Amino acid sequence: MHNRFFSFQNLWIVLVLVASSAKAQYSEIFEKYKDKYPEASVVLLNQESNLFINVTNGIFDITQQNIQENLYLNEFATQRSQESISFSSFYELGAIEASSFNYDNNKYREEKVSTFTQKDELGEFFYDDIKSVNFIYSNLKKGSRSQLKYSQKIKNPRLLTPFYFGDFSPIAQNKFSITTDPSVNLKFKQFNTEGVKIDFTKQEKRGKIIYTWELKDVNAFDYESRSSTHRNVLPHIIPFIASYEVNGNTVPVLNETKDLYNWYYSMIKEVVHEPATPELVELTNSLIEGKENDLEKVKAIYYWTQLNIKYIAFEYALGGFIPRGANEVFEKKYGDCKDNSSILYKMLEIAGLKGHLTWIGTRKIPYSYEEVPTPVVDNHMILSYFDGEAIYYLDATGRNIPITFPTSFIQGKEALIAIDDKNYRIAKVPIIPAEKNFIKDITKLKIEGQLLTGSARAEFAGYAKIDYLYAMEGLNTKSKRDNFYNDIFEKGNNKFIAQNISEINREEYDQNLIITYNFSIGDYFKQFGDEIFINLNLNKYISQHRTDPKRKREIEVDYKNSYVFETELQIPDGYEIEFLPKSQNFENNYIKATIDYEQLDGKILYKHSVICDYLILDLDQQKEVNKLINDVEKAYKEVVTLTRSK
């Protein structure tokens, strides 16, 4: 008994020692953050950026020093070993220090990175002067830490960048500071900081002014598909230099939108005055020949540019801001958004018309020019054309865009429109109503044996047509096209087969696309004895707008849209209606839907309409939409009953 006791006791001691040894593999800081963020794979222990602004005789010297320290909480650490730092002619890269730290014998041991490789970052459709320095942290594993320090010289005082107090991983410590000469007048705009306890200090030290913002313990930013930009969620600060003093004079930099416009215009004034080549003049005149009015001339030029100038993004140095000349774009037949706008401008000028180069931010940039009169407010250039009170927003980087439609990603955005060297106009791009972006499907049905057969005419308008044409571009085989048709037109169930498809107005910018087709659906209706049961809700479109009740963020769509499904069912000979569902209406502030049934001349007429009148839904609005969808889906279950005539 005595020996058995000591054996059991010894086993217990061994187990304790093993457990202690296992726990000792990880540091206290690892245990702390593993308990605090059990679902995270990495914690940013420190995210720090320190900006230094000096001015000598009106010449800026701006350096930004960055520090990032990570702690890796699981085995995915090895997948994070590769690191990359981007830089360009505007953001010159300075010294880099990088190390990994692995915990061994109760101590972190440093392994410095010694090999750094530089490469150009070039893509098929995007060319810029951005380069990257790439390296690998040694032996990263669960419990490891990494540290990265590097500096950047910001070559233009207008190009300060935002600082985000958040990331896709938790952050233990955020710090952003600016140390500047007193002669520099700085402005700061804060976004999404309501209710966020950011510690801010301002102090004078050794002839400098130091601004510091600190925020601790920030939870991970949750990414969800179809969410709006992270700029609408993450707390962040946008600093910018409003002006500076030199020799007793105040020199504006970006104090107001006018300052930004003056800088922008200085980079386009030479381009717009370049004379056109005879070849470009000849082409333009051939396009506008016989056109009845100015708008028809603009259309001809705009549509030619969409079709013939391939979009490739170029951002080399100031090429990110300066359009290439129209003659160069015409010769090469490709260009970026500025280049497309440049050739449009020149061709309209040849036609005796006035276009206006226009800067604009896409919907991923939520700022206004008044809030942030800096280059972070926009990322795109188009051409505006005034026709009386109407403004047409011409974006030739897209394809199949009617002149009456802006590209969908600039709807609702402010446009900074160049008038001349001193004057500009800010206008808001309209949001296209749902009723202009529609699909209307008119179907005629027959019951033939065990099949439901029919013919249909689908009409696509607005952005719905544009999306259809984009989707068709990559379908270069019959099988791919057949699969696409069966998917987009599917009715009833997956035994739907479309045939004899014909497209009308595919190449006509200003006409709706018409598609006709025949189809059959197997195993759809049910027949028991003298009764036939058939659900005429062949297109349960509204269900795709349901959002996950566990969703944590708003949801954004590309455009408002509407659908109409009209179905005519021929009542089979020898049958009559036994039961016809009641018509119903459903409506809230975001979706309107109707389902109507009617009997007329041996036919059942069914109509289902859906209007989605929103671009973004917050969580409460999603709940309202989901509730309406539930009600509509109950109506989708209603079945028409036919019985043999007596």
Side-chain angles (χ1 to χ4, degrees):
M1 186 72 179
H2 181 74
N3 290 335
R4 288 179 61 195
F5 170 75
F6 272 100
S7 297
F8 184 81
Q9 186 181 47
N10 290 341
L11 177 61
W12 180 81
I13 292 171
V14 169
L15 291 174
V16 169
L17 290 174
V18 170
S20 299
S21 175
K23 189 170 184 179
Q25 293 177 10
Y26 302 109
S27 64
E28 289 185 9
I29 194 170
F30 171 86
E31 300 293 351
K32 172 184 175 181
Y33 286 106
K34 186 63 177 175
D35 289 342
K36 188 169 186 175
Y37 301 110
E39 302 300 320
S41 60
V42 61
V43 171
L44 279 64
L45 296 177
N46 185 32
Q47 177 179 258
E48 183 174 340
S49 184
N50 302 297
L51 189 62
F52 299 89
I53 303 174
N54 299 298
V55 183
T56 304
N57 297 324
I59 305 300
F60 278 89
D61 180 14
I62 304 175
T63 302
Q64 187 160 313
Q65 296 178 350
N66 303 289
I67 302 172
Q68 183 165 314
E69 300 177 38
N70 293 349
L71 173 66
Y72 303 92
L73 301 181
N74 59 28
E75 288 75 9
F76 286 107
T78 56
Q79 300 181 17
R80 296 175 177 267
S81 296
Q82 296 186 13
E83 184 66 87
S84 177
I85 304 171
S86 298
F87 65 99
S88 69
S89 58
F90 287 128
Y91 302 95
E92 184 180 286
L93 192 61
I96 307 173
E97 297 178 17
S99 297
S100 57
F101 298 83
N102 288 303
Y103 196 70
D104 185 35
N105 291 328
N106 298 317
K107 183 180 180 180
Y108 276 109
R109 301 187 182 277
E110 182 178 8
E111 297 183 49
K112 290 187 177 181
V113 175
S114 58
T115 302
F116 298 89
T117 304
Q118 180 177 311
K119 70 174 183 177
D120 293 330
E121 297 293 330
L122 298 179
E124 181 181 359
F125 298 110
F126 191 94
Y127 297 90
D128 58 23
D129 66 345
I130 291 180
K131 296 178 172 57
S132 66
V133 168
N134 301 271
F135 57 91
I136 297 176
Y137 290 115
S138 299
N139 301 319
L140 282 190
K141 55 189 176 182
K142 181 179 178 180
S144 297
R145 291 169 48 208
S146 66
Q147 183 181 79
L148 172 63
K149 297 181 180 180
Y150 65 98
S151 64
Q152 291 174 298
K153 183 176 287 291
I154 300 175
K155 305 296 282 290
N156 189 303
R158 299 171 183 84
L159 300 179
L160 304 187
T161 56
F163 181 83
Y164 291 89
F165 294 94
D167 197 86
F168 293 100
S169 301
I171 304 178
Q173 170 73 32
N174 286 277
K175 182 181 178 183
F176 177 48
S177 74
I178 302 177
T179 302
T180 182
D181 286 339
S183 62
V184 177
N185 175 26
L186 285 171
K187 288 186 176 182
F188 318 99
K189 292 292 184 179
Q190 296 189 171
F191 295 90
N192 311 315
T193 58
E194 300 81 3
V196 179
K197 189 178 180 182
I198 298 175
D199 293 327
F200 171 73
T201 60
K202 177 183 178 182
Q203 60 177 317
E204 294 189 31
K205 189 175 181 180
R206 298 174 183 172
K208 303 288 185 180
I209 299 177
I210 304 172
Y211 305 86
T212 305
W213 296 262
E214 293 187 83
L215 178 62
K216 297 181 179 180
D217 298 326
V218 181
N219 290 328
F221 167 62
D222 291 317
Y223 172 78
E224 290 180 293
S225 64
R226 300 169 66 196
S227 294
S228 68
T229 172
H230 64 281
R231 299 176 182 90
N232 282 330
V233 179
L234 290 181
H236 62 284
I237 291 174
I238 300 179
F240 53 98
I241 299 171
S243 62
Y244 63 97
E245 302 288 332
V246 59
N247 299 324
N249 297 315
T250 299
V251 181
V253 180
L254 293 173
N255 189 50
E256 56 184 338
T257 306
K258 180 181 178 181
D259 300 325
L260 178 64
Y261 176 74
N262 289 340
W263 183 55
Y264 278 172
Y265 195 86
S266 71
M267 292 182 286
I268 67 169
K269 61 183 180 181
E270 298 300 329
V271 174
V272 299
H273 293 306
E274 178 188 52
T277 62
E279 292 80 9
L280 185 55
V281 172
E282 181 181 359
L283 169 70
T284 303
N285 288 333
S286 70
L287 291 173
I288 64 175
E289 184 178 0
K291 301 303 179 189
E292 295 181 356
N293 55 55
D294 289 347
L295 189 59
E296 289 301 314
K297 295 177 183 179
V298 176
K299 279 185 186 181
I301 293 169
Y302 182 39
Y303 296 165
W304 180 90
T305 307
Q306 288 189 48
L307 284 171
N308 293 279
I309 305 299
K310 182 179 180 181
Y311 172 70
I312 299 178
F314 291 89
E315 300 293 341
Y316 283 104
L318 283 174
F321 297 95
I322 301 176
R324 285 157 190 82
N327 298 323
E328 180 182 351
V329 179
F330 176 62
E331 180 183 355
K332 293 181 177 178
K333 297 297 188 296
Y334 62 75
D336 64 10
C337 61
K338 301 176 298 299
D339 304 336
N340 279 271
S341 301
S342 172
I343 192 170
L344 276 174
Y345 178 93
K346 186 58 61 176
M347 293 175 76
L348 262 62
E349 182 180 72
I350 294 168
L353 304 170
K354 179 66 173 175
H356 301 269
L357 292 173
T358 301
W359 297 266
I360 194 166
T362 64
R363 285 164 54 193
K364 295 299 182 184
I365 298 179
Y367 320 117
S368 70
Y369 282 98
E370 182 180 356
E371 288 176 321
V372 187
T374 86
V376 303
V377 76
D378 51 41
N379 60 348
H380 193 40
M381 179 176 275
I382 60 174
L383 193 80
S384 298
Y385 175 72
F386 299 161
D387 184 31
E389 295 297 317
I391 303 177
Y392 294 89
Y393 299 95
L394 313 182
D395 183 355
T397 62
R399 295 183 303 283
N400 311 304
I401 311 291
I403 196 170
T404 51
F405 281 68
T407 40
S408 63
F409 52 79
I410 63 172
Q411 291 179 96
K413 291 292 298 177
E414 283 186 347
L416 179 62
I417 304 172
I419 304 300
D420 53 39
D421 60 345
K422 294 183 176 61
N423 299 288
Y424 63 89
R425 175 177 173 181
I426 293 178
K428 184 164 283 192
V429 177
I431 297 173
I432 301 300
E435 291 80 1
K436 290 190 176 183
N437 306 310
F438 68 79
I439 296 176
K440 184 175 183 179
D441 187 293
I442 300 175
T443 299
K444 294 185 178 182
L445 291 175
K446 288 183 179 180
I447 295 174
E448 296 185 336
Q450 299 302 309
L451 285 178
L452 190 62
T453 64
S455 61
R457 178 186 185 275
E459 182 177 359
F460 289 72
Y463 295 130
K465 174 187 175 182
I466 294 167
D467 278 355
Y468 177 94
L469 295 178
Y470 270 122
M472 286 293 294
E473 285 183 0
L475 306 179
N476 50 16
T477 66
K478 183 179 183 302
S479 62
K480 288 181 179 179
R481 290 191 294 271
D482 288 345
N483 289 337
F484 173 75
Y485 291 135
N486 285 326
D487 181 56
I488 196 170
F489 296 124
E490 182 179 294
K491 304 176 189 300
N493 61 30
N494 60 9
K495 295 186 178 181
F496 170 90
I497 299 175
Q499 298 171 321
N500 304 323
I501 295 155
S502 176
E503 296 176 337
I504 303 170
N505 298 332
R506 178 168 176 165
E507 307 299 330
E508 299 296 326
Y509 277 68
D510 299 312
Q511 300 293 324
N512 293 342
L513 174 66
I514 307 295
I515 302 170
T516 60
Y517 58 95
N518 299 325
F519 64 88
S520 63
I521 312 174
D523 296 333
Y524 184 70
F525 63 89
K526 303 296 181 184
Q527 185 166 6
F528 299 100
D530 291 339
E531 292 183 315
I532 295 175
F533 302 90
I534 184 168
N535 188 326
L536 292 183
N537 298 283
L538 302 177
N539 300 86
K540 300 177 176 62
Y541 164 76
I542 204 168
S543 297
Q544 70 183 13
H545 290 273
R546 180 191 305 281
T547 55
D548 188 334
K550 296 180 182 179
R551 190 177 176 90
K552 299 177 181 179
R553 290 195 57 198
E554 78 294 326
I555 193 165
E556 182 173 11
V557 298
D558 292 336
Y559 51 86
K560 298 180 177 182
N561 59 84
S562 60
Y563 283 69
V564 176
F565 303 101
E566 295 183 2
T567 301
E568 176 187 289
L569 173 65
Q570 182 73 47
I571 299 174
D573 291 341
Y575 281 83
E576 60 186 24
I577 298 174
E578 182 175 291
F579 175 76
L580 193 66
K582 293 181 179 179
S583 297
Q584 298 187 61
N585 297 321
F586 312 86
E587 182 176 345
N588 59 29
N589 291 328
Y590 317 106
I591 291 186
K592 297 178 182 178
T594 64
I595 299 177
D596 294 308
Y597 296 88
E598 182 183 358
Q599 178 182 0
L600 182 67
D601 299 332
K603 302 171 184 176
I604 298 174
L605 306 181
Y606 163 95
K607 182 177 180 179
H608 178 31
S609 67
V610 179
I611 298 174
C612 298
D613 193 25
Y614 64 86
L615 291 177
I616 297 179
L617 293 175
D618 64 26
L619 293 179
D620 288 336
Q621 293 165 346
Q622 289 174 47
K623 291 178 182 178
E624 289 188 54
V625 167
N626 284 349
K627 183 178 182 302
L628 184 143
I629 291 172
N630 289 339
D631 293 338
V632 175
E633 287 178 336
K634 292 177 184 176
Y636 281 161
K637 297 177 182 179
E638 294 278 5
V639 175
V640 171
T641 305
L642 305 176
T643 187
R644 288 190 187 276
S645 305
K646 297 180 181 179

